[in-house]
Amino acid sequence: MTWYERRIISARRSVNHLDMREKARLSKFKIQAVSDISSHAIIDNLEYIASYSIGTPPVKVNAFIDTGGDMIWTLAQSTFKPSASSTYTKLSCASRYCLALGDLRTCSAVETETCTYDMTYDDGARSTGVFGRDKFLFDGSYDPSKLVDVGYIYFGINNERSPGLKGQASNGIRVGLTEIEYPSFAFAAGVVIDSGISHSMLTSKAFDPFLDELRKKIKLPIVKGPLDELEFCFQGTDDEVIKTPEVVFYFTDVTLHFSSDVIFEEYSQGVWCLSILRSPSLRSVIGNIQMRNLEVGYDLQQKGVAFTNSDCKP
């Protein structure tokens, strides 16, 4: 599979996966405060994969970094065997953590019954299994050979796939020097910061005027994209793309500046497409392409998000 083909698949996956972020809401689960931990992360097919360890003795696992959802789960047997961990415990269906699963819970709230869950996503992917808890460990920031125990975390053991921390509503969008006008309710459902989706998405009420302004300002030859979801594509050289107008998103107390290398992606030789898509729902998303040169901080206690523009290129 070529790099271009992977980008096309990633764009389609972003649209298909948005609605499956609405179900799990387990952010009330707490772990002890731990600093100075790290995880080796790689990018594969425009998705980020990190490693950490679970259980006693610790077993190294790999996982998608997905800030669009609050529930953690791992594969049974092939990744993590609960029976091999002396610190793993199943949860009762009547426990408060199991009850907090809401509609995802599939057991009948009986004390003697094991907590089970079932999540089915819009693209047909599914995670179903047992909900329990065990120790999670990460590499130390200063000594990666030393594991740091962050305490017990509640998670699913999947027998058959994860979805958020919701950001504040956008206060404005600018293309070049032009402020985009859109209805006040365009971001009423908020903006999700979701590293598990590659492409950012805007609700139609914000996307349409945003797209119109880009078309006015970019005078390069328009071409049809490889997917219907890629609504704005053109032919251009690297130098021409670099000269396209800056895109800025305004949030409360923070301004995000997006350069051309995260606004447009090359999907075939010399054909570039807008890497911000139309959202299929009333919710907007900041995906991992647009987060490439951002440092993102999450305050789980205050439920806030902070951004800093940064040059993350190696």
Side-chain angles (χ1 to χ4, degrees), residues 225-226 230 232-234 263-267 271-275:
L230 298 169
F232 180 44
C233 300
F234 55 83
I263 295 298
F264 300 104
E265 292 263 288
E266 191 175 22
Y267 285 88
V271 173
W272 301 78
C273 296
L274 177 65
S275 58

Side-chain angles (χ1 to χ4, degrees), residues 73-246:
W73 56 260
T74 188
L75 294 173
Q77 306 306 320
S78 63
T79 300
F80 173 71
K81 297 181 180 180
S83 60
S85 173
S86 62
T87 49
Y88 176 80
T89 55
K90 295 179 180 179
L91 294 179
S92 161
C93 191
S95 68
R96 67 188 181 96
Y97 296 105
C98 188
L99 295 175
L101 291 172
D103 292 340
L104 301 181
R105 179 173 53 85
T106 55
C107 52
S108 54
V110 177
E111 186 69 38
T112 56
E113 193 174 346
T114 298
C115 181
T116 55
Y117 72 94
D118 190 344
M119 289 192 298
T120 302
Y121 303 128
D122 287 353
D123 65 348
R126 188 182 188 195
S127 175
T128 179
V130 176
F131 200 63
R133 76 168 198 161
D134 206 342
K135 288 187 174 184
F136 275 55
L137 304 96
F138 289 79
D139 297 337
S141 295
Y142 303 107
D143 183 3
S145 64
K146 179 182 178 181
L147 292 178
V148 178
D149 184 346
V150 302
Y152 285 88
I153 293 181
Y154 298 86
F155 66 106
I157 304 291
N158 177 40
N159 295 323
E160 270 202 44
R161 174 189 150 170
S162 138
L165 186 63
K166 189 189 299 184
Q168 298 168 314
S170 173
N171 289 342
I173 300 174
R174 176 166 60 81
V175 176
L177 299 177
T178 304
E179 301 282 347
I180 304 301
E181 295 183 3
Y182 52 80
S184 59
F185 58 84
F187 294 100
V191 180
V192 172
I193 313 302
D194 193 345
S195 64
I197 284 179
S198 58
H199 293 65
S200 293
M201 286 178 271
L202 298 175
T203 62
S204 289
K205 294 297 184 181
F207 183 82
D208 285 334
F210 171 63
L211 181 59
D212 288 344
E213 191 60 33
L214 283 173
R215 285 174 169 158
K216 290 177 185 176
K217 283 187 162 51
I218 297 175
K219 303 299 184 182
L220 297 171
I222 303 299
V223 298
K224 182 175 175 54
L227 287 175
D228 290 340
E229 290 85 355
L230 298 169
E231 297 187 40
F232 180 44
C233 300
F234 55 83
Q235 287 183 321
T237 64
D238 291 354
D239 289 340
E240 288 173 324
V241 173
I242 289 174
K243 295 176 182 178
T244 55
E246 178 187 48

Side-chain angles (χ1 to χ4, degrees), residues 22-37:
E22 306 297 322
K23 295 181 180 178
R25 290 292 177 265
L26 306 177
S27 59
K28 59 177 72 66
F29 299 163
K30 296 180 179 179
I31 61 174
Q32 65 190 55
V34 175
S35 59
D36 300 328
I37 62 174

Side-chain angles (χ1 to χ4, degrees), residues 47-62:
E47 294 177 314
Y48 294 91
I49 300 173
S51 61
Y52 53 89
S53 297
I54 306 176
T56 306
V59 175
K60 184 78 76 173
V61 300
N62 294 318

